[in-house]
Amino acid sequence: MATTLATAFDRLVLALSVAMAVLAGVLLASLFVIVQYEVFTRFVLAAPTHWTHEVSTFAISWVGLLAAPYVLRLGSHLEVDLVTTRLPHGIRNLLGIATDLLGACFCGFAAWTGAGFVELAHMMEATSASELDTPLWIPYLVIPLAFGLLALEFVTRAVARTGLVRGRDTTATAIHI
Amino acid sequence: MIAGLFAGLLALLATGIPVGIGIGIVGIVAGYVGMGEASLAALPSTLFAGINSFLLIAIPLFILMSEILSRGGVTEILFNTVTRWLGHLPGGLAVSAVVTSAIGASITGSSVANAASMAIVCVPPLLARGYDRRFSYGLVAAAGTLGIMIPPSIPMLLYGEITEESIGALFMAGIIPGLLITAALIAYTVVVCSRGGVAEAIPKASWAERWEATTRAIPAMMLPIIVVGGIYSGTFTPTEAAAVGVTWALIVGVLIYRTVGVRQIVAALRSTLISTSLILVIIAGSNVLGAAVTRLQISQDMLAMVQALDLPSWAFIACTMVLLFILGMILEVISIIFIILPILHPIIVSLGVDPIWYAVIFTLNMEIALITPPVGMVLYVMTGILKRPITEIIQGVLPFVGVLIGCLIILMIFPGLSTWLPNLLR
Amino acid sequence: AEVTLRYAGTLPTSHHNAIGQQRLADRVKELTNGEVEIQVYPAGQLYGARDIPTAVVSGGVDMGHNLTSVWSTDAVAEIPDLPFLFADAAHAERCWEPAGPLHRGFAAHVERRRMKLIHTMFFGSLFDFGNNGRLIREPADLRGMKIRGYGRLSAEGLRALGASPIVMSPGEMYLGIQRGTIDGAITGVTSLESRKIWEVVKHATITGAAFGVMAVNISMARWNALRPAHQEALMKAGEEVYRWAAQESGRRDVHSTQFLIDKGIETLVLSAEQKATWAQAFAPAAAAWESRASAEAKQLVEEVRALRRAA
Ligand code: NA
Ligand code: NA
């Protein structure tokens, strides 16, 4: 029962992470197109845009953070395992659970304060003070979204380390350190 | 205070927590201890401020450019070409590896990416020809680090972003030092190979073979010319150059070599996304720590300390180099840039030191950081690719750390090597 | 210290507004016998300009300075950017002094956004060109030029004058002008000097069309938590810095203009007649402002014009 629940929860979080990573990938491709387009309009057409600079600046934070939960799932965030690989398996696993929960706390806190921050920017009608005048709560939204999901990914990884999640091996990581 | 901060950071990172998250946690704890709840309120704004920058766009784009090229087999094409010209000389294959790495550096902004493709392409032929295993690893790792000195360079972009120095000037400044390091690595290789009698010689290639290979390599080798030429002529900015580089990489891979298809492009996007996320999470976390360091006025304290010591500026510069070397052993390069540069740069400027020259010796120090244990990204990437114990790679790389330190000293003594080219541009 | 306030700024330490930031800290310390310590973070150490407003209100930092138009994009905050609104520095000083209409109007505006205006500081002349190609004598000379602008009103102004406004990072601007990616930049005359733009341009036109005003705000929560004596000390020190900055910004504008001339930059300072021609060309930008301004904002501008006539 617990295994089924844990596995279902894990798959749900995975689906969310994949969806956000796909969105990040689309944004990454658009980033390239937008910057290349600006060179084209300015140099070839001599008609620069007023939006590419701002849109691409916001996109970069979205690209980096939206993909972060999926990258955590892959185990591809930079992690130092110089010490942990020398520990006995059981202790290593326990330490893994502890650091995952610590990571979940940090990310959860970032998501929670981030949500307040988004609300505040909305209340203040803070904008980018440019011609585009983007309401800042829109770019800020990535903080609660990405860190919220990162927190969930940390939690599922901690649960998976207890062996409750079917078909997820937390020891096989792509970590190089 | 600062010692406690570093001790705490190292202890936390040693538990295996993702580096960006770990740095962020240390930042928020340091802030909380130093000034209470106000630091907690600053978390979301600080996280966002760290990664909300136009210049950071060049990071994914330069990564994407080199991902597309390496998936298109460009490193192999370059290596084959260089080997045709130099392979028959004593130590020729090793020298070819260094030269290929220098050319590779001019089409990537990252030493890790450069070293990774070099490890895949150059190490097997070196070993097959009987070069010493450790020597080969060390050579490829050290030559790989050229990626951040020869433009384009992601760390120099970040340097310019933080200090508001001209990125174009920084890029120009890296060219001659990059060539100097290349020459030093070649010289060391020739000395080692002529003494050791290693390696079976490669038959000399005919002129026809050479020209054939060179013709094939030309489209790839035009990339640095397009990037630097485009910046120099004002067609695009250094950040935009990254997008133009992606376009050219697509032209080369899809239309000219026909080695890149939809599958390679998707794979390149995927791994670019992973690397970008890895770097941006570290930048965001580092900004939390950096803000805590700033709020606790640690840089002011350090500045006061420096002033109290009344060091001549050269002695101060030398001290910072030692400090950076030590930090480079235990921290990842991008984290160092974000943690230390906001503290260091105002001091450098107030001492009247040429900031462009300082950026170059800083970058060379970061090259060294990439190959010094225990934390050296190039070491780790090579371990991952070569599937060999990290100790073997570390043993191989140590003499090359000496070579790079030698170059560092030369660049410190002769600032003109770094500043002549950017000044010419003015 | 009994109270520590963290104060974020965006300008390099040599800029008179960054010096003003430090002066406020020093003076408050004196006035409160060290009970209130203001820690200053100039040069964007903590936050970039755009991120300061939300950082102040969320408690990420206690206070900060920014051009009024960055604190808020409401039409009230854009008043200093209205072309040729102020007759001269003395006129501007009467409008922005603590009892003046613009101080009052802007303070009321930021109060609705949970901030308290402590004082303002003149940034100085803010619609000046540094460019290559040809000296800009009249608006028509700008036709087809690619000029890096700042903010919304400068972009609208540039477009009204027939130029193409470009958005570009500060880090790329110097190289962009030097290599001809863009033809020039529009900024304050002091920035033409301090940001080294003079090194890469041949011509400069000092229009004096806009007049930058930095507002120093503190979060309302922090303000309300201060003892009345401390609040009083902040306001008193603020007014002193305001008076000082008004003098200093005028002095620096003159100094930077002379600096450009000494460096061999072909420099034009608009005469009264030339300003009249330029003002006509700006009409579309002024109309755009009118269309988004509230009755309250328009009333403030009327008060400013009345003070001009009174002088
Ligand atoms: Na490079
Ligand atoms: Na290292």
Side-chain angles (χ1 to χ4, degrees), chain B residues 328-329 369-370 372 375-376:
Chain B
M329 300 205 296
L370 287 162
T372 49
V375 177

Coordinates of all heavy atoms in Angstrom, one line a residue, chain B residues 328-329 369-370 372 375-376, ligand 2:
Chain B
G328 N 40.3 27.6 -5.6 CA 40.2 26.8 -6.8 C 40.3 25.3 -6.5 O 39.7 24.5 -7.3
M329 N 41.0 24.9 -5.5 CA 41.1 23.5 -5.2 C 39.7 23.0 -4.6 O 39.3 21.8 -4.9 CB 42.1 23.2 -4.1 CG 43.5 23.7 -4.6 SD 44.9 22.9 -3.9 CE 44.9 23.3 -2.3
A369 N 42.2 25.9 -11.4 CA 41.2 25.4 -10.5 C 40.5 24.2 -11.1 O 40.1 23.2 -10.4 CB 40.2 26.5 -10.1
L370 N 40.3 24.2 -12.4 CA 39.5 23.1 -13.1 C 40.3 21.8 -13.0 O 39.6 20.7 -13.2 CB 39.3 23.5 -14.6 CG 38.2 24.6 -14.8 CD1 38.4 25.2 -16.2 CD2 36.9 24.0 -14.6
T372 N 42.7 21.1 -10.4 CA 43.3 20.8 -9.1 C 42.3 20.0 -8.3 O 41.1 20.4 -8.2 CB 43.7 22.0 -8.3 OG1 42.7 23.0 -8.4 CG2 45.0 22.7 -9.0
V375 N 38.2 19.3 -5.8 CA 37.1 19.7 -6.7 C 37.7 20.3 -8.0 O 38.2 21.4 -8.0 CB 36.2 20.7 -6.0 CG1 35.1 21.1 -7.0 CG2 35.6 20.1 -4.7
G376 N 37.6 19.6 -9.1 CA 38.1 20.1 -10.4 C 37.2 19.5 -11.4 O 37.2 18.3 -11.7
Ligands
NA2 NA 40.1 22.6 -8.3

